[in-house]
Amino acid sequence: MSSQIDHLLNENREFPPSPEFAAHAVAKPEIYERAAADPEAFWAEQSRELLTWAKPFTEVLDWSNPPFAKWFADGELNLAYNCLDRHVEAGNGDRVAFHFEGEPGDTRTVTYSDLTDEVKRLANVLEGLGIGKGDRVALYLPMIPEAVAAMLAVVRIGAIHSVVFGGFSADSLRARIDDAGAKLVITADGGWRKGKVSPLKPAVDQALADRDGKGVQATVENVLVVRRGENDVDWIEGRDVWYHDVVPQASAEHEAQAFPAESPAFILYTSGTTGNPKGILHTSGGYLTQAAFTHRNVFDLHPESDVYWCTADIGWITGHSYAVYGPLANGATQVLYEGTPEFPKPGRWWDVIEKYGVTIFYTAPTAIRGFMKQGREIPQARDLSSLRVLGSVGEPINPEAWMWYRDVVGAGTAPIVDTWWQTETGAIMISPLPGITAAKPGSAQVPLPGISATVVDEQGTPVDNDNGGLLVVTKPWPSMLRGIWGDPERFVDTYWKMFADKGFYFAGDGARLDEDGDVWLLGRVDDVMNVSGHRLSTAEIESSLVAHEATAEAAVVGASDETTGQAVVAFVILKESFLRENSAAGLADELRKWVGTQIGPIARPRDVYVVSELPKTRSGKIMRRLLRDVAEGREVGDTQTLADTAVMSVISAQVK
Ligand code: WT7
């Protein structure tokens, strides 16, 4: 990591926007001053301009009870109406909302009229199943148009969605369903991944089975199932309902009722520093305002002519804000692709870009590094000349990957926007604006207009340029999380306690300001890992490892990885009785698979090292810093605070 940071700090290339791009850009340089002069007035203006309010708001920000913010509180709107009906009413019903491409190669063109119609029918079905305002609906779906329709139908009726990434296990799904008290699950039989049907419904069945022994009340009344994979599924009469049996038959008349701006829209679970994922709560008016504003300005969206593609799954916040709410509120035409980049062979993504003439492309550094490894011949064999804006998200992008992205994918001209934000922030916070910012490879650069963020030391004092520290947001923002579902205390403790006297939001990231004051993200400073742009908690994986009968103790660290940014590396102490009967290598492999089935394949450790001791302080805290040194093949740092200073040489010898 430290060599990467040195490397970053030596990076001094700059790429100013071309005059042609600047001339047609959505955002003009004066936007920064306008926003800084009166941020609240700025957000109010953006909200009125970008959204349609059924009842206009007169209040902007209510920060009288920090950190519980209210934005536009006396206004009323309907999120689905803003994403759908109003575009149809404006005469844009025939505009393509989604060019859907299934992994097997099947395609569907979904216009704004089509999607509006589908959502209205589904809204009627949901109401028929007894779902109403404030009820929670869990979604566990592949990347198909029905997934987008489901999200919008849920918010249309004032219910709350909780999308669970389809790669999570039955146990992870169960934990999320129970925490939110979901009344309905919307899933599919299965979806296509890597040339095969990856079943989903069985995981839902398993998640809903045998509650009794666990002392948890089952809250789910129905399971609505989309047919996609055509795999055989078990069926519980009375509980399970086929989507195709009820949605096409339902009425396409459904009037969108307006809800107060602070009505909850969705919960999205993300990992923190403890074992239990946090249900991040987002509400309506402020969320949609910032999602729409950032989508339009950061990506320079011209909705009449652009074809936009965000590769994120809807199971993550990027999929929520930049594949559903932001783009649809802006009336954008998007690509929705179901599968993996490598199917049926490397280059599928470039084929999709060529086929649909994608102009704006938003993906993660991990994907870019993966493509770099395969070689530039693959993208160069396709016509990518339609691309004019490239985005990056989820993890720091190293300058090499940035340059490759620009040169090979963007023909050496497309501006790159490196967007920093989080599940909690709801929308982009720090990013260049194409057409304005002179881009620096590897830096997220500047807070967006209307956003106040900076880098501070541990006392909360802003650092000078050319210094590092902790990234904080210093003023409330419209799409900020409104809490952690069911746990207001954890919300305050996690994000607001660190700088309570200043009222700063602590993001958990380390960052540096360069000599111009631009922000360079340096990774998490807490026990959270970032693997392929996805957040994983060390504690969550440790508790999965110790849940295995062979494990006595476990410590997990994120070690830097050439492709995935960080990789999960576990150090485990096994029980003697198991080691007597099995090989350490065999048990290590079993544990890797175990985590994959317990949490999901993304959490599967890259390496599991069987060791006889773990480095602990006198108070018993595991010193992950030292384990990270071992995992990254470095000389082990200062061991003075260890209870037993000899432990590290034992461990180093054991992992060789
Ligand atoms: C964490 C948030 C934002 C949606 C995807 C991830 C890291 C995010 C960047 C970036 C450096 C980044 C941070 C952040 N991160 N974007 N452009 N440069 N780091 O959302 O799962 O909530 O994770 O991702 O560490 O805290 P998330």
Side-chain angles (χ1 to χ4, degrees), residues 270 317-318 392-397 418-424 444 507 509 521 523-524 530 533-535:
T270 188
I317 191 69
T318 310
S392 173
V393 62
E395 48 181 324
I397 180 165
D418 174 6
T419 61
W420 178 88
W421 58 296
Q422 308 179 297
T423 305
E424 292 87 343
D509 282 292
L521 273 307
R524 303 285 307 191
N530 189 325
H534 300 312
R535 201 196 296 192

Side-chain angles (χ1 to χ4, degrees), residues 31-193:
I31 193 173
Y32 285 102
E33 287 146 49
R34 197 149 49 87
D38 189 345
E40 288 177 34
F42 172 79
W43 284 119
E45 179 191 304
Q46 292 304 327
S47 191
R48 291 188 185 106
E49 209 168 283
L50 294 165
L51 307 185
T52 302
W53 288 84
K55 174 171 175 257
F57 56 87
T58 62
E59 300 160 20
V60 182
L61 169 65
D62 175 355
W63 192 232
S64 57
N65 179 29
F68 300 90
K70 289 183 185 155
W71 282 86
F72 315 121
D74 65 343
E76 290 182 6
L77 81 175
N78 184 289
L79 296 191
Y81 174 85
N82 272 276
C83 291
L84 300 168
D85 314 47
R86 64 172 178 149
H87 301 313
V88 178
E89 289 167 12
N92 293 321
D94 291 338
R95 184 182 294 168
V96 175
F98 287 104
H99 294 290
F100 169 69
E101 170 113 355
E103 199 193 66
D106 56 318
T107 61
R108 271 191 267 168
T109 306
V110 182
T111 65
Y112 273 91
S113 291
D114 297 336
L115 192 60
T116 306
D117 184 271
E118 182 90 358
V119 168
K120 288 180 173 177
R121 290 178 199 273
L122 182 51
N124 283 321
V125 168
L126 298 183
E127 284 175 338
L129 292 171
I131 305 299
K133 187 167 151 49
D135 287 336
R136 278 80 61 204
V137 179
L139 273 49
Y140 189 65
L141 284 158
M143 285 290 282
I144 53 176
E146 288 83 353
V148 178
M151 291 166 76
L152 293 170
V154 168
V155 296
R156 186 179 187 92
I157 62 172
I160 304 168
H161 59 68
S162 162
V163 183
V164 180
F165 174 56
F168 276 123
S169 67
D171 276 351
S172 299
L173 174 62
R174 181 208 312 261
R176 286 158 174 76
I177 289 173
D178 287 347
D179 186 77
K183 208 165 156 185
L184 172 73
V185 181
I186 308 181
T187 188
D189 46 2
W192 289 91
R193 272 195 90 70

